[in-house]
Coordinates of all heavy atoms in Angstrom, one line a residue:
R28 N -30.2 67.0 34.8 CA -29.7 67.9 34.0 C -29.5 69.2 34.6 O -29.1 70.3 34.0 CB -30.9 68.3 32.9 CG -31.1 67.2 31.9 CD -32.1 67.6 30.8 NE -31.8 68.7 30.0 CZ -32.6 69.4 29.3 NH1 -33.8 69.0 29.3 NH2 -32.1 70.4 28.5
C29 N -29.5 69.3 35.9 CA -29.4 70.6 36.8 C -28.7 70.2 38.0 O -28.4 69.0 38.4 CB -30.7 71.3 37.0 SG -31.9 70.0 37.7
S30 N -28.6 71.2 38.9 CA -28.2 70.9 40.3 C -29.3 70.4 41.1 O -30.4 70.9 40.8 CB -27.5 72.2 40.8 OG -26.5 72.6 40.2
P31 N -29.0 69.4 41.8 CA -30.2 68.8 42.6 C -30.8 69.8 43.7 O -29.9 70.6 44.2 CB -29.6 67.6 43.3 CG -28.2 67.7 43.3 CD -27.9 68.7 42.1
D32 N -32.1 69.7 44.0 CA -32.6 70.5 45.1 C -32.3 69.8 46.3 O -31.7 68.7 46.5 CB -34.0 70.8 44.9 CG -34.8 69.6 44.8 OD1 -34.5 68.5 45.5 OD2 -36.0 69.7 44.3
E33 N -32.7 70.4 47.4 CA -32.4 70.0 48.7 C -33.1 68.6 49.0 O -32.4 67.7 49.6 CB -33.0 70.9 49.9 CG -32.6 70.5 51.2 CD -33.2 71.5 52.3 OE1 -33.3 72.7 51.9 OE2 -33.3 71.2 53.4
A34 N -34.3 68.4 48.5 CA -35.0 67.1 48.7 C -34.2 66.0 48.0 O -34.3 64.8 48.6 CB -36.4 67.2 48.2
I35 N -33.8 66.2 46.8 CA -33.0 65.1 46.0 C -31.7 64.9 46.7 O -31.3 63.8 46.8 CB -32.8 65.5 44.6 CG1 -34.3 65.5 43.8 CG2 -32.0 64.4 43.8 CD1 -34.2 65.9 42.5
M36 N -31.1 65.9 47.1 CA -29.8 65.7 47.9 C -30.0 64.9 49.2 O -29.2 64.0 49.5 CB -29.2 67.0 48.2 CG -28.5 67.7 47.0 SD -27.1 66.9 46.5 CE -25.9 67.1 47.6
R37 N -31.0 65.2 49.8 CA -31.2 64.4 51.1 C -31.5 63.1 50.8 O -31.1 62.2 51.5 CB -32.5 65.1 51.8 CG -32.8 64.5 53.2 CD -33.7 65.4 54.1 NE -35.0 65.5 53.3 CZ -35.3 66.8 52.9 NH1 -34.6 67.8 52.9 NH2 -36.5 66.8 52.1
K38 N -32.4 62.7 49.9 CA -32.7 61.4 49.5 C -31.5 60.6 49.0 O -31.2 59.6 49.4 CB -33.9 61.3 48.4 CG -34.3 59.9 48.0 CD -34.7 59.1 49.1 CE -36.0 59.7 49.7 NZ -36.5 58.8 50.8
A39 N -30.7 61.3 48.1 CA -29.4 60.7 47.7 C -28.6 60.3 49.0 O -27.9 59.2 49.0 CB -28.7 61.6 46.8
G40 N -28.3 61.1 49.9 CA -27.6 60.9 51.0 C -28.0 59.8 51.8 O -27.2 59.1 52.3
E41 N -29.4 59.6 51.9 CA -29.8 58.4 52.6 C -29.4 57.1 52.0 O -29.2 56.1 52.7 CB -31.4 58.4 52.5 CG -32.0 59.5 53.3 CD -33.6 59.6 53.2 OE1 -34.1 58.5 52.5 OE2 -34.3 60.5 53.6
Y42 N -29.0 57.1 50.8 CA -28.5 55.9 50.1 C -27.0 55.9 49.9 O -26.4 55.1 49.2 CB -29.2 55.8 48.8 CG -30.6 55.5 48.8 CD1 -31.6 56.4 48.2 CD2 -31.1 54.4 49.5 CE1 -32.9 56.2 48.4 CE2 -32.5 54.1 49.6 CZ -33.4 55.0 49.0 OH -34.8 54.8 49.2
G43 N -26.4 57.0 50.5 CA -24.9 56.9 50.4 C -24.3 57.6 49.2 O -23.1 57.5 48.9
L44 N -25.2 58.1 48.4 CA -24.7 58.9 47.2 C -24.2 60.3 47.5 O -25.0 61.3 47.2 CB -25.8 58.9 46.1 CG -26.5 57.5 45.7 CD1 -27.5 57.6 44.6 CD2 -25.3 56.6 45.4
T45 N -23.1 60.4 48.1 CA -22.8 61.7 48.6 C -21.8 62.4 47.7 O -21.3 63.5 48.0 CB -22.2 61.6 50.1 OG1 -21.1 60.7 50.1 CG2 -23.2 61.2 51.0
G46 N -21.2 61.8 46.7 CA -20.2 62.3 45.7 C -21.1 62.9 44.6 O -22.1 62.5 44.3
E47 N -20.6 64.1 44.2 CA -21.2 64.8 43.2 C -20.2 65.2 42.1 O -19.1 65.7 42.3 CB -21.9 66.1 43.8 CG -22.6 67.0 42.9 CD -23.3 68.1 43.5 OE1 -23.4 68.1 44.7 OE2 -23.8 69.0 42.9
S48 N -20.6 65.1 40.8 CA -19.7 65.5 39.8 C -20.6 66.1 38.6 O -21.7 65.8 38.5 CB -18.9 64.4 39.2 OG -19.9 63.4 38.5
G49 N -20.0 67.1 38.0 CA -20.7 67.7 36.9 C -20.1 67.3 35.4 O -18.9 66.9 35.4
Q50 N -20.9 67.2 34.5 CA -20.3 66.8 33.1 C -21.0 67.6 32.0 O -22.3 67.7 31.9 CB -20.7 65.4 32.9 CG -20.0 64.7 31.9 CD -20.1 63.2 31.8 OE1 -21.1 62.7 32.2 NE2 -19.2 62.6 31.3
P51 N -20.2 68.3 31.2 CA -20.9 69.2 30.1 C -21.6 68.3 29.1 O -21.2 67.2 28.8 CB -19.7 69.7 29.5 CG -18.6 69.7 30.4 CD -18.8 68.4 31.3
F52 N -22.8 68.8 28.8 CA -23.7 68.2 27.8 C -23.6 69.0 26.6 O -23.9 70.2 26.6 CB -25.1 68.0 28.4 CG -26.1 67.3 27.3 CD1 -25.8 66.0 27.1 CD2 -27.1 67.9 26.9 CE1 -26.8 65.3 26.2 CE2 -28.1 67.3 26.0 CZ -27.8 65.9 25.7
M53 N -23.0 68.4 25.5 CA -22.7 69.2 24.2 C -23.6 68.7 23.1 O -24.0 67.6 23.0 CB -21.3 69.1 23.9 CG -20.3 69.3 25.1 SD -18.6 69.3 24.6 CE -18.5 71.0 23.7
V54 N -23.9 69.8 22.4 CA -25.0 69.4 21.2 C -24.4 70.0 19.9 O -23.7 71.2 20.0 CB -26.4 70.0 21.7 CG1 -27.3 69.8 20.4 CG2 -26.9 69.4 22.9
M55 N -24.8 69.5 18.9 CA -24.4 70.0 17.5 C -25.3 69.7 16.4 O -25.6 68.5 16.3 CB -22.9 69.5 17.1 CG -22.5 70.0 15.9 SD -20.8 69.5 15.3 CE -21.2 67.8 15.0
P56 N -25.8 70.6 15.6 CA -26.6 70.2 14.4 C -25.7 69.5 13.5 O -24.5 69.9 13.2 CB -27.0 71.5 13.8 CG -26.8 72.5 14.9 CD -25.7 72.1 15.8
L57 N -26.1 68.3 12.9 CA -25.2 67.5 12.1 C -24.8 68.2 10.7 O -23.8 67.8 10.1 CB -25.7 66.1 12.0 CG -25.3 65.3 13.0 CD1 -25.9 63.9 12.8 CD2 -23.8 65.0 13.3
T58 N -25.6 69.2 10.4 CA -25.2 69.9 9.2 C -23.8 70.7 9.4 O -23.1 70.8 8.4 CB -26.3 71.0 8.8 OG1 -26.6 71.8 9.9 CG2 -27.5 70.3 8.3
D59 N -23.5 71.0 10.6 CA -22.2 71.7 11.0 C -21.2 70.8 10.6 O -20.0 71.2 10.2 CB -22.2 72.2 12.4 CG -23.2 73.2 12.7 OD1 -23.9 73.7 11.8 OD2 -23.2 73.7 13.8
A60 N -21.3 69.4 10.8 CA -20.1 68.5 10.6 C -19.8 68.3 9.3 O -18.6 68.1 8.9 CB -20.6 67.1 11.3
S61 N -20.7 68.7 8.4 CA -20.5 68.4 6.9 C -19.4 69.2 6.4 O -18.9 69.0 5.3 CB -21.8 68.6 6.1 OG -22.3 69.9 6.2
A62 N -19.2 70.4 7.1 CA -18.2 71.4 6.6 C -16.8 71.0 7.0 O -15.8 71.7 6.6 CB -18.6 72.8 7.0
L63 N -16.6 70.0 7.9 CA -15.3 69.8 8.4 C -14.4 69.0 7.4 O -14.7 68.2 6.7 CB -15.5 68.7 9.7 CG -16.1 69.2 10.9 CD1 -16.3 68.0 11.8 CD2 -15.1 70.3 11.5
A64 N -13.3 69.4 7.3 CA -12.2 69.0 6.4 C -11.8 67.5 7.0 O -11.6 67.4 8.2 CB -11.0 69.9 6.3
P65 N -11.6 66.6 6.1 CA -11.2 65.2 6.5 C -9.8 65.4 7.3 O -8.8 66.1 6.8 CB -11.0 64.5 5.2 CG -11.8 65.2 4.2 CD -11.8 66.6 4.7
Q66 N -9.6 64.6 8.4 CA -8.4 64.6 9.1 C -7.7 63.3 9.2 O -6.9 63.0 10.1 CB -8.6 65.2 10.5 CG -9.2 66.6 10.5 CD -8.3 67.7 10.1 OE1 -7.0 67.6 10.5 NE2 -8.6 68.7 9.4
G67 N -8.2 62.3 8.4 CA -7.9 60.9 8.6 C -6.4 60.7 8.6 O -5.9 59.8 9.4
G68 N -5.7 61.1 7.6 CA -4.3 60.8 7.5 C -4.1 59.3 7.3 O -4.7 58.6 6.6
Q69 N -3.2 58.7 8.2 CA -3.0 57.2 8.2 C -3.8 56.4 9.1 O -3.6 55.3 9.3 CB -1.5 57.1 8.6 CG -0.5 57.7 7.6 CD -0.7 57.2 6.2 OE1 -0.8 56.0 5.9 NE2 -0.8 58.1 5.2
V70 N -4.8 57.1 9.8 CA -5.7 56.4 10.6 C -6.9 55.9 9.9 O -7.6 56.5 9.1 CB -6.2 57.4 11.8 CG1 -7.1 56.6 12.6 CG2 -5.0 57.9 12.4

């Protein structure tokens, strides 16, 4: 959930896991979704 510290980076490198990528983790209370207007159309 965070950037790895030096110890984790070192251990990952020992196993060849030298690529690093980030991914947004997004959250929403589902009550917010109830206000959305339907967008279905022909789908």
Side-chain angles (χ1 to χ4, degrees):
R28 289 180 66 188
C29 58
S30 296
D32 63 18
E33 183 177 343
I35 293 176
M36 285 293 292
R37 183 169 57 250
K38 181 58 63 175
E41 291 176 8
Y42 296 118
L44 304 183
T45 56
E47 182 175 345
S48 65
Q50 198 170 28
F52 184 63
M53 307 185 76
V54 178
M55 179 180 70
L57 275 178
T58 51
D59 292 354
S61 62
L63 291 171
Q66 300 287 325
Q69 299 302 310
V70 179

